[in-house]
Amino acid sequence: MRSFLLRRVLLALATLWLASSLVFAFLLLLPGDPVQAILGLEASPAARQALERALGLDKPPWERYADWLTRTLRFDLGESIRYAKPVGELLGERIPLTLGLVFLGLGGALFLALPLALLALRFPLCDLALSGLMAFLQSVPTFFLGVVLLYALAVHLPLFPASGFPGFSHPWEALRHLFLPALTLALSRAAILFRMARGSLLEVMGQDYIRTARAKGVPETWVLIKHALKPASLPLITVLGLEGGFLLTGAVVVEVVFALPGMGSLALTALEARDYPLLQGLVLVMAALIVLFNLLVDLLYGLLDPQVAYA
């Protein structure tokens, strides 16, 4: 188990380094001039040169990458051009909201997908209807689903707030403001989890020990919950790592739809201002969170199935 853990951690670190390097390279190709965005079109050449020197933009790309990588290893993500504040401080203010939204969306997706998959197998008449509904939800874009829920439950029926976030110091109000965004994410990802859970359960239900349990007179509902659910959950756990990444990127879009002050609005501002340090920090943190999601899923899979750890 220790060697399995070490391999996964080293692979996660290598993936994070590769992702951060690619992000730095792609941002060099991004159109726009941060100096012009700050000083405007009428800035003098001397003022431009001074600001480029202050921001380190006068150095060659390889030297800028070495400086950025060295500072990142010291957990120093630099200073935002747009906000004139440390990038780490800005991210620290926005990450809790985004992570809260992601975990609520993931929990909601599981809460919807697993019972509906069990219901589809227990009652075949429900299977076609649920499969069609999930296929429809999977085809609807996340932002469109968010707009529909926003109009239906915040404008037409004002049951929930339409935008804004009061902070986690008011837990009940925070949950009310996060309900619609989390429901948007949950509905968009529940379709994937439903199909995976249903397919895995169908495969498990054909095993010999399931037939043995039925032959002993075990009720069908208990066969599903007691004997089929745990082995069928292993492939589902693998998908959860991917879904965590999808939810994290989907949360960026949902935050914009519901005007939440999370990483999504910060990313848009950084992109419009060509704030390279902030963009690099945002993408690096998002890549680190996605790698962390997958690492936790790998470790959980190794705990549930020891054969994987010794493979």
Side-chain angles (χ1 to χ4, degrees):
M1 190 64 186
R2 289 182 180 179
S3 61
F4 173 77
L5 176 61
L6 181 61
R7 290 198 307 270
R8 294 302 180 183
V9 171
L10 291 177
L11 180 61
L13 292 175
T15 303
L16 186 57
W17 170 78
L18 180 61
S20 62
S21 301
L22 289 175
V23 167
F24 186 89
F26 288 149
L27 286 179
L28 291 178
L29 303 176
L30 193 68
D33 185 2
V35 174
Q36 179 178 308
I38 296 172
L39 297 179
L41 297 174
E42 305 299 328
S44 64
R48 289 181 55 88
Q49 291 178 2
L51 186 57
E52 286 179 354
R53 196 178 308 111
L55 298 177
L57 299 178
D58 58 331
K59 299 178 181 178
W62 64 267
E63 188 174 344
R64 289 162 56 188
Y65 173 73
D67 292 342
W68 176 73
L69 187 60
T70 303
R71 286 188 287 103
T72 302
L73 292 175
R74 299 197 304 264
F75 299 99
D76 178 13
L77 298 177
E79 185 172 298
S80 167
I81 299 174
R82 169 67 174 79
Y83 294 96
K85 293 174 63 176
V87 172
E89 181 180 339
L90 290 171
L91 294 178
E93 297 171 354
R94 305 294 184 102
I95 287 176
L97 172 59
T98 301
L99 285 182
L101 183 58
V102 167
F103 284 120
L104 285 175
L106 186 59
L110 282 173
F111 181 77
L112 291 172
L114 284 178
L116 290 179
L118 292 172
L119 183 65
L121 265 70
R122 182 65 182 87
F123 303 102
L125 291 177
C126 299
D127 191 8
L128 182 61
L130 289 175
S131 297
L133 175 62
M134 292 302 167
F136 171 74
L137 289 176
Q138 187 177 354
S139 64
V140 176
T142 305
F143 73 90
F144 180 76
L145 185 60
V147 171
V148 171
L149 290 175
L150 180 65
Y151 175 77
L153 299 178
V155 178
H156 185 66
L157 295 175
L159 301 176
F160 299 96
S163 62
F165 185 68
F168 288 104
S169 58
H170 304 85
W172 175 247
E173 284 300 316
L175 286 176
R176 290 188 70 245
H177 281 77
L178 289 179
F179 180 81
L180 286 182
L183 181 61
T184 302
L185 290 176
L187 290 175
S188 66
R189 307 319 302 175
I192 301 293
L193 296 180
F194 170 83
R195 293 179 61 185
M196 177 59 66
R198 178 181 174 276
S200 184
L201 283 168
L202 282 173
E203 183 178 353
V204 170
M205 293 300 286
Q207 299 298 319
D208 291 338
Y209 64 88
I210 298 294
R211 286 192 288 267
T212 302
R214 285 171 170 166
K216 290 181 178 180
V218 178
E220 187 68 18
T221 302
W222 190 246
V223 168
L224 282 169
I225 297 175
K226 174 67 175 179
H227 299 283
L229 187 57
K230 182 178 178 181
S233 64
L234 291 177
L236 191 62
I237 290 173
T238 304
V239 178
L240 287 180
L242 299 175
E243 289 305 301
F246 282 121
L247 283 171
L248 189 62
T249 54
V252 173
V253 178
V254 171
E255 286 173 1
V256 175
V257 173
F258 290 92
L260 295 175
M263 295 176 66
S265 58
L266 191 64
L268 281 180
T269 302
L271 188 61
E272 291 172 356
R274 300 299 185 266
D275 192 340
Y276 292 152
L278 184 53
L279 279 173
Q280 290 168 351
L282 277 165
V283 179
L284 179 62
V285 168
M286 292 184 68
L289 291 174
I290 293 174
V291 169
L292 181 60
F293 278 136
N294 285 276
L295 177 61
L296 291 177
V297 168
D298 287 341
L299 297 181
L300 182 59
Y301 203 101
L303 291 174
L304 294 177
D305 188 0
Q307 293 181 353
V308 175
Y310 295 103

